Amino acid sequence: MGNHRLELSKYRLDEAERCIDSAKLLYDAGDFKSAVNRSYYCVHNAMRSVFALQGKDFKKHSALMTFFRGDYIKTKVFSDKMSDILRDLFFIRNKSDYEDFYIVGKQETSEQIDNARHFLEQIKLYLSNQS
């Protein structure tokens, strides 16, 4: 595996960590919409960190999710719960970012931050076994 791929994977994983840290700060500040956004991007960057090891990347979020599900969830590398987390975060993030009057609540935001943290921890565990 190329050194460049490992560095890119680590960089993307660090980005995922920054996103989840930001989500918590935003949640504590009462900015639930932005906290959900950062939670989603934590998961997004975590998936990209896995694909970096293969030298793959995707321009569209939908393609990234489709390939992650096909390559890692359907093959049982990760549990079906990861697919559920991905689906829910993508849906809520899209609604809160693009619909004018969609309001994400405190409890829902807290759940999504916890889900993103779980997703990230599973990715970190997987990546630690790849090097």
Side-chain angles (χ1 to χ4, degrees):
M1 187 176 325
N3 193 38
H4 172 72
R5 288 181 182 181
L6 287 172
E7 288 176 15
L8 183 57
S9 177
K10 178 161 179 15
Y11 175 80
R12 289 176 178 173
L13 193 62
D14 289 345
E15 286 295 308
E17 290 276 4
R18 277 190 281 284
C19 286
I20 199 64
D21 291 345
S22 294
K24 180 66 172 122
L25 290 171
L26 291 161
Y27 175 83
D28 290 343
D31 187 352
F32 305 136
K33 176 180 178 174
S34 296
V36 166
N37 177 284
R38 294 294 84 200
S39 296
Y40 168 77
Y41 277 99
C42 166
V43 168
H44 179 81
N45 287 315
M47 287 186 294
R48 290 183 73 222
S49 72
V50 172
F51 281 116
L53 295 180
Q54 299 174 14
K56 290 182 181 179
D57 201 11
F58 305 92
K59 296 207 183 283
K60 294 188 174 205
H61 292 234
S62 58
L64 174 63
M65 291 185 295
T66 297
F67 279 91
F68 187 81
R69 284 184 176 117
D71 291 0
Y72 294 98
I73 294 173
K74 289 189 180 188
T75 61
K76 303 298 182 195
V77 172
F78 294 109
S79 72
D80 289 341
K81 179 179 180 178
M82 299 281 275
S83 183
D84 296 341
I85 290 170
L86 183 54
R87 179 198 64 229
D88 292 347
L89 261 171
F90 183 73
F91 176 79
I92 294 167
R93 195 275 309 193
N94 276 342
K95 291 282 227 182
S96 65
D97 279 359
Y98 299 114
E99 291 190 14
D100 290 330
F101 297 106
Y102 183 82
I103 298 172
V104 60
K106 183 177 185 175
Q107 179 63 35
E108 185 176 34
T109 303
S110 177
E111 289 171 12
Q112 296 313 314
I113 291 171
D114 289 344
N115 286 339
R117 189 171 284 119
H118 172 79
F119 196 102
L120 178 58
E121 291 305 317
Q122 295 302 305
I123 295 289
K124 287 166 59 177
L125 181 62
Y126 171 79
L127 290 174
S128 71
N129 292 323
Q130 299 306 303
S131 7

